[in-house]
Structures are given as structure tokens and as C-alpha cells.
């Protein structure tokens, strides 16, 4: 499917092209020619062109560069006039290309094909740098394409960068050490490995509506982002933001990553509102981050979430968050989300995560008990801890059975009626085992049902089968009676707790 898609873009009207040598090309361009089209330039050995000696207007259209290295370079960039521009349209680079220590008002690559090891723009002074598709008003859409190699944009003073609708079949986009870039946009592109590091963007950073090829990686390292949007992008299998500063509003709304992917933030600072709403991420890991303003994870869908040593200073919104593999999340993460839901007064989702936390704690206890069983010496040295673990395990077990940790009043009611009835029947038999009881006799039936309701009165400790206010005399009946009161009281308490979950 992809090959068919690319084939359609590579279909062009067959134009007769002239092949020239690198020497002839060097002679032509040094004579200040400004237009090169329909050429195959065969660079037999490395060519270095000093741009200050060339025409200030350079345009290459439908040119194939092949062979050895081609370098554009200035003598110096500080005093070079900022009026030179260079356009490559519908060109193919089958040789390594370097723009180093050069000055351009704008440098544009339109619907070009790059198939080499390195395509480098190093230490240049550029007002407008772009890689983009062709003019769709004239022709069908044809994107720029990288079949192999690396595009490196490093150092220098580049005011604006636009990378729009570029298709990477293989290779890397590497942007680093840019401290004077105002605006950077990477949009509507198909990307492989991405490295953006040690850079400061001052006005906006737009990484919008991109897709990524599976089994590739993205690294955003030690960058400062202004107003930034990473929205509606499908990220790589492994995407990592580390030591980054998000100075202003940041949006990661409706992002996705591949089914086995990991989306990770480590030691990042978010100074303003951050938005992850409606995102679908396999695994999100937040480690040692600071959110100084509100952050929203509303209507998000994850398989796994891990939150470690991350602070939400003003709060986080986790409304309607869905975590498919909640059993694989650790208790600290679940507790953090639960606390933020409580802070936002979201009672329904709070109670849902309260149950998750209890289940996670129960699993932790099971694992610790297994460790105790494996190490008998450890068991003897920590018998008090073992007793406490078993006690907690029992409480969690009974609370889960009765009302799912105080969240299901119907289950608590069923528990109370079922076990209360069994205990009352046992009590009735204990009190009347010496007599023949005919329940279908009206008096006996009235005595049985009246005693049943009195048995369920937690504060009534008189004999429920006797009309007078007398106490029981049978020790077995007392034992069943007291145990029944405890069970009923516990069931009623759990039922009340379940109703209280909706209390504001």
C-alpha cells in the first residue's frame, strides 16, 4: 500500500535531462548562473562552493545530484549580506550534501528526494529554512521524501524552520544546539527516528498531525519549548522527553503511540497549563516531573500508566480516564490518580480508583507473603509483620466480598440478608432442637418471622423468640446470636459506606 502511494507521487512527465560533470557544474555556478534545471550532475570528487562568490539567487529545478560530497560554504557569516536565497525544487540528492557556515535569507527544499548518508545544515545563518511539498495549486501533491540517511540541522542562527509533509522511509531527523530559533513547525509528516536536543525555541513549537513508523524512537532532550502543540500525532514506539522545559501552554491532545509503545517524560518542567485530553497511549510514564499549573488527562485511554515522584502543584484532572491493564499499574500510581480525583471532587472516578488501590494493595500483600514462605528465617525474624500482613489480607478479603470495598450497596445488602438468615436459622434450631417445630402452624410461623426481624435489630440483645425481655440461657445460642449481630452490623455498615460514596 505504501509503495503504491509513493509510486503515485513519483510519477512525473518524462523530461529529457542533460548529464554534466561536477567540473562543468562548478564552472557554471561560479560564473554566477542562477538557474539550473533538468540536469543530472555527476560529482566525481568533492566540490566546495563558496556562496559569497555565487549569484545571490540560486534555483535548482528537476536536478539530480549524484556522486561525491557537495558543500556550500561562506568565508564568514557575520558580515555577509542577509539577502541570498536558494531553492531546490523537485530535486534528487544521491550524494552527501553540506551547508556549513553559510548565510541565506531563505533556503527551501520543495518536493525533493534525499537518498544519501548525510544531509547537513551546520552553523548557518538562515531566516527561513523549509522542507515541504510542492505547490498544490499547480500540480498534484508531491511531498519531500527521505529514502535513507540523516537530515541534520545543528548549531547556527535559524529564525524559522518549517518541515511540512515530508515522508521518511528510513533515516533520522536530527535538530540540535539551536538557541536562536523563534518558530519551528514539523507538521503532517511521516517520520522515523527523531532527535531534537539542546535547543531553545522562543515563540512557538508545532509538532502537529504527524505519523511515525513502528519500531523507531523519538528523543526530545534538554529543550525549552514556548507555546507548543504535539496534538493529533502518532508517536514512535519509544518516545522520550527528558530534561525539557515547557515554558507556556502545551498541548498533547489526541496523541497516539503504537500498540507496544512507551511515552515517557523524565525530569521535565511544565510551567503553564498542559493538556493530554483524548489521547490513546499504550504506556505513559511520568518520572520526576513538575507540573506547576493544571494538567488535564480527561477522556484518555491507556494500557498502563506509571507515575513516579511527579508533583501536580495546582492539580490534575483525570476525569473519565481509562486504564485497560490496571493490574499492571503500581499502587503509588493508582494512589496519585485517586488523590487528584479526590482533590477535583470527582467522587465517581475517585471510588473506582479507590477499589483499584485496594486490589493493588492486596496483590502487594500476596507477593510479600510468598516471600515470607520462601525464606523461613525471614519468617521467624518478622513474625509481627507477618501477622499484620495476614490481618490486612483478611480485612481486604472480607471487605471485597461484602461490598467491593464500600462501593456496592446491593452486594452488601445481599451479604447481610443471606448470612444473617443462615445464622438466624442456626440460632432458631439451637433454641428449639429439643422440640418438634411445625413452621406451617400459624403461631410457630409468627414466632419464627417475628424473631427473624428482631434478630436483625443490631441493638436488641434480648431473646428474639421470647415475647418478654429475657436473655438467652443456652451458651451455643449466645455464641451464634453474638456472631450474627456482628455479621449483620458489619453488612449494614458496608451498605451505609456504599451509599456515602456519592456524598459531595
Amino acid at each position: 500500500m505504501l509503495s503504491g502511494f509513493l509510486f503515485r507521487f513519483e510519477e512525473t512527465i518524462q523530461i529529457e535531462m542533460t548529464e554534466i560533470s561536477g567540473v562543468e557544474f562548478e564552472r557554471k555556478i561560479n560564473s554566477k548562473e542562477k538557474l539550473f534545471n533538468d540536469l543530472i550532475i555527476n560529482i566525481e570528487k568533492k566540490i566546495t562552493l563558496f556562496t559569497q562568490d555565487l549569484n545571490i539567487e540560486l534555483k535548482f529545478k528537476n536536478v539530480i545530484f549524484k556522486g561525491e560530497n557537495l558543500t556550500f560554504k561562506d568565508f564568514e557569516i557575520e558580515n555577509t549580506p542577509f539577502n541570498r536565497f536558494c531553492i531546490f525544487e523537485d530535486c534528487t540528492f544521491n550524494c552527501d550534501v553540506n551547508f556549513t557556515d553559510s548565510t541565506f535569507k531563505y533556503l527551501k527544499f520543495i518536493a525533493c528526494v534525499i537518498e544519501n548518508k548525510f544531509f547537513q545544515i551546520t552553523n548557518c545563518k538562515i531566516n527561513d529554512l523549509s522542507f515541504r511539498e510542492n505547490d498544490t495549486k499547480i500540480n498534484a501533491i508531491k511531498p519531500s521524501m527521505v529514502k535513507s540517511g540523516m537530515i541534520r540541522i545543528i548549531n547556527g542562527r535559524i529564525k524559522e524552520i518549517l518541515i511540512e509533509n515530508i515522508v521518511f522511509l528510513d533515516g533520522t531527523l536530527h535538530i540540535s544546539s539551536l538557541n536562536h530559533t523563534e518558530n519551528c513547525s514539523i507538521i503532517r509528516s511521516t517520520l522515523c527516528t527523531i532527535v531534537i536536543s539542546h535547543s531553545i525555541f522562543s515563540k512557538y513549537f508545532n509538532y502537529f498531525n504527524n505519523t511515525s513508523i513502528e519500531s523507531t524512537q523519538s528523543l526530545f532532550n534538554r529543550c525549552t519549548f514556548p507555546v507548543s502543540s504535539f496534538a493529533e500525532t502518532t508517536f514512535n514506539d519509544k518516545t522520550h522527553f527528558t530534561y525539557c522545559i515547557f515554558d507556556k501552554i502545551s498541548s498533547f491532545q489526541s496523541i497516539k503511540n503504537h500498540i507496544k509503545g512507551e511515552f515517557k517524560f523524565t525530569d521535565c518542567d511544565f510551567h503553564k497549563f498542559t493538556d493530554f485530553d483524548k489521547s490513546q497511549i499504550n504506556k505513559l510514564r511520568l518520572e520526576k516531573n513538575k507540573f506547576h499549573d493544571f494538567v488535564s488527562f480527561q477522556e484518555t485511554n491507556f494500557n498502563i500508566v506509571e507515575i513516579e515522584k511527579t508533583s501536580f502543584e495546582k492539580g490534575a484532572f483525570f476525569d473519565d480516564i481509562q486504564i485497560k491493564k490496571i493490574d499492571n499499574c503500581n499502587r503509588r500510581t493508582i494512589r496519585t490518580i485517586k488523590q487528584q480525583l479526590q482533590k477535583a471532587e470527582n467522587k465517581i472516578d475517585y471510588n473506582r480508583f479507590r477499589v483499584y488501590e485496594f486490589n493493588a494493595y492486596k496483590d502487594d500483600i500476596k507477593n510479600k507473603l510468598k516471600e515470607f514462605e520462601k525464606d523461613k528465617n525471614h519468617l521467624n525474624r518478622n513474625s509481627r509483620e507477618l501477622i499484620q500482613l495476614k490481618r490486612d489480607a483478611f480485612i481486604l478479603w472480607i471487605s471485597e466480598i461484602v461490598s467491593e470495598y464500600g462501593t456496592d450497596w446491593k452486594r452488601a445488602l445481599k451479604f447481610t440478608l443471606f448470612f444473617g438468615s443462615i445464622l438466624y436459622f442456626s440460632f432458631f434450631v439451637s433454641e428449639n432442637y429439643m422440640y418438634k417445630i411445625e413452621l406451617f402452624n400459624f403461631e410457630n410461623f409468627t414466632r419464627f418471622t417475628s424473631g427473624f426481624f428482631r434478630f436483625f435489630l443490631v441493638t436488641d440483645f434480648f431473646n428474639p423468640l421470647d415475647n418478654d425481655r429475657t436473655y438467652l440461657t443456652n451458651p451455643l445460642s449466645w455464641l451464634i446470636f453474638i456472631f450474627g449481630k456482628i455479621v449483620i452490623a458489619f453488612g449494614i455498615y458496608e451498605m451505609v459506606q456504599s451509599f456515602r460514596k456519592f456524598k459531595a
Side-chain angles (χ1 to χ4, degrees):
M1 182 176 178
L2 181 60
S3 60
F5 167 81
L6 297 174
F7 178 75
R8 290 196 298 272
F9 282 127
E10 289 182 335
E11 284 184 339
T12 57
I13 298 173
Q14 293 297 319
I15 297 173
E16 187 176 346
M17 301 179 71
T18 303
E19 182 168 350
I20 63 173
S21 67
V23 174
E24 187 176 352
F25 167 66
E26 194 170 4
R27 179 184 59 78
K28 283 176 174 288
I29 198 169
N30 281 325
S31 66
K32 297 207 172 178
E33 286 192 27
K34 66 177 182 180
L35 178 60
F36 297 84
N37 59 357
D38 303 329
L39 292 174
I40 299 173
I41 301 173
N42 188 7
I43 302 171
E44 297 88 352
K45 62 179 182 179
K46 180 179 178 180
I47 294 177
T48 299
L49 301 173
F50 292 96
T51 52
Q52 288 165 326
D53 294 335
L54 309 179
N55 197 302
I56 62 171
E57 299 180 16
L58 285 173
K59 184 167 184 180
F60 300 85
K61 185 176 177 65
N62 193 28
V63 176
I64 298 174
F65 298 89
K66 66 179 185 178
E68 296 299 320
N69 184 286
L70 174 63
T71 298
F72 291 83
K73 185 176 182 179
D74 277 349
F75 300 116
E76 60 175 18
I77 62 173
E78 291 300 327
N79 300 318
T80 302
F82 203 53
N83 59 356
R84 181 180 294 109
F85 64 86
C86 186
I87 299 174
F88 296 85
E89 184 175 354
D90 206 14
C91 293
T92 300
F93 298 93
N94 291 328
C95 65
D96 290 345
V97 178
N98 291 282
F99 293 85
T100 179
D101 299 310
S102 300
T103 301
F104 294 96
K105 186 173 183 179
Y106 55 84
L107 177 60
K108 297 186 177 182
F109 302 90
I110 303 169
C112 292
V113 176
I114 298 171
E115 189 171 8
N116 54 22
K117 285 186 178 180
F118 292 106
F119 190 101
Q120 300 188 113
I121 300 170
T122 307
N123 197 32
C124 291
K125 184 180 177 183
I126 304 172
N127 188 66
D128 181 359
L129 170 64
S130 64
F131 295 82
R132 61 180 180 83
E133 63 190 18
N134 62 334
D135 188 344
T136 55
K137 294 179 181 178
I138 301 173
N139 299 308
I141 297 174
K142 183 179 180 182
S144 291
M145 189 180 301
V146 180
K147 293 186 176 180
S148 64
M150 176 187 293
I151 294 180
R152 294 185 67 192
I153 304 170
I154 184 169
N155 290 322
R157 296 168 176 257
I158 304 176
K159 186 177 180 181
E160 294 193 7
I161 299 174
L162 172 62
I163 300 174
E164 181 178 12
N165 196 9
I166 187 170
V167 176
F168 277 79
L169 301 183
D170 194 7
T172 301
L173 174 62
H174 187 153
I175 299 173
S176 66
S177 303
L178 299 180
N179 297 323
H180 304 278
T181 301
E182 294 181 1
N183 307 317
C184 180
S185 293
I186 304 172
I187 58 178
R188 297 192 301 111
S189 295
T190 301
L191 305 167
C192 285
T193 300
I194 304 295
V195 178
I196 301 177
S197 69
H198 294 83
S199 296
I200 298 172
F201 306 97
S202 59
K203 287 191 176 179
Y204 69 78
F205 184 90
N206 195 6
Y207 193 91
F208 175 76
N209 198 18
N210 299 305
T211 59
S212 300
I213 296 175
E214 292 187 32
S215 303
T216 57
Q217 301 182 16
S218 293
L219 175 64
F220 299 82
N221 177 48
R222 297 188 182 275
C223 292
T224 298
F225 298 106
V227 174
S228 55
S229 175
F230 299 82
E232 298 183 24
T233 287
T234 300
F235 282 90
N236 312 57
D237 278 356
K238 293 184 179 179
T239 299
H240 194 183
F241 288 80
T242 176
Y243 297 102
C244 289
I245 297 172
F246 296 84
D247 240 353
K248 297 181 181 177
I249 293 174
S250 302
S251 176
F252 294 86
Q253 190 174 104
S254 301
I255 65 171
K256 299 178 182 179
N257 78 328
H258 293 298
I259 197 165
K260 296 180 181 178
E262 180 179 60
F263 201 83
K264 185 176 179 181
F265 293 86
T266 304
D267 287 292
C268 292
D269 272 335
F270 298 82
H271 291 166
K272 298 295 181 181
F273 178 74
T274 307
D275 173 15
F276 288 87
D277 292 350
K278 299 179 181 179
S279 293
Q280 298 180 27
I281 301 173
N282 174 52
K283 181 178 180 180
L284 174 67
R285 180 170 176 81
L286 303 176
E287 184 178 353
K288 301 178 184 177
N289 302 290
K290 290 183 180 179
F291 291 89
H292 300 277
D293 205 329
F294 291 106
V295 55
S296 179
F297 295 90
Q298 295 183 6
E299 298 180 57
T300 48
N301 196 312
F302 305 102
N303 280 337
I304 302 172
V305 177
E306 294 180 357
I307 303 175
E308 296 286 343
K309 300 176 183 177
T310 291
S311 65
F312 303 99
E313 292 187 1
K314 287 192 176 181
F317 303 111
F318 287 99
D319 301 349
D320 299 316
I321 181 176
Q322 299 295 325
I323 304 176
K324 291 182 180 178
K325 299 180 181 178
I326 191 68
D327 293 339
N328 293 341
C329 297
N330 62 53
R331 187 156 50 103
R332 290 187 297 274
T333 296
I334 296 172
R335 186 189 301 119
T336 298
I337 297 174
K338 183 199 75 173
Q339 289 171 345
Q340 295 302 319
L341 289 167
Q342 185 179 30
K343 190 175 180 179
E345 297 187 359
N346 182 340
K347 295 295 181 182
I348 295 174
D349 287 330
Y350 163 78
N351 279 286
R352 183 161 57 94
F353 275 84
R354 182 171 169 269
V355 172
Y356 295 154
E357 184 183 11
F358 279 127
N359 286 328
Y361 181 44
K362 185 176 68 175
D363 291 338
D364 288 346
I365 290 175
K366 287 181 180 178
N367 292 331
K368 287 182 180 179
L369 289 174
K370 288 179 181 178
E371 291 177 6
F372 274 112
E373 290 176 3
K374 290 179 181 178
D375 188 351
K376 298 298 182 181
N377 294 327
H378 193 63
L379 177 64
N380 294 330
R381 290 195 304 268
N382 297 277
S383 57
R384 184 176 298 177
E385 182 183 357
L386 178 62
I387 292 171
Q388 182 63 46
L389 286 173
K390 288 184 176 181
R391 185 183 300 151
D392 288 351
F394 174 75
I395 293 171
L396 289 171
W397 174 75
I398 194 68
S399 181
E400 181 185 18
I401 287 177
V402 174
S403 65
E404 197 173 10
Y405 311 112
T407 61
D408 190 342
W409 67 268
K410 291 181 288 185
R411 184 186 291 190
L413 177 61
K414 291 175 184 177
F415 170 87
T416 305
L417 292 175
F418 180 75
F419 286 99
S421 299
I422 290 175
L423 289 167
Y424 174 69
F425 184 77
S426 301
F427 167 79
F428 189 83
V429 171
S430 174
E431 280 292 289
N432 297 280
Y433 72 96
M434 295 181 64
Y435 306 98
K436 182 178 180 181
I437 303 298
E438 295 179 0
L439 285 178
F440 294 101
N441 181 288
F442 182 75
E443 284 189 19
N444 287 332
F445 180 77
T446 302
R447 183 167 174 261
F448 179 85
T449 54
S450 174
F452 178 81
F453 289 112
R454 285 186 64 186
F455 189 80
F456 274 79
L457 292 176
V458 178
T459 56
D460 186 354
F461 284 91
F462 295 105
N463 187 345
L465 302 178
D466 199 334
N467 291 328
D468 297 327
R469 295 170 64 85
T470 58
Y471 290 105
L472 296 168
T473 57
N474 185 346
L476 179 61
S477 297
W478 263 117
L479 183 65
I480 299 172
F481 182 77
I482 295 299
F483 184 66
K485 295 289 184 180
I486 292 172
V487 169
I488 292 167
F490 182 69
I492 293 172
Y493 170 80
E494 289 292 315
M495 189 162 52
V496 171
Q497 286 294 104
S498 301
F499 280 116
R500 284 172 58 87
K501 75 176 183 177
F502 296 110
K503 184 179 178 182

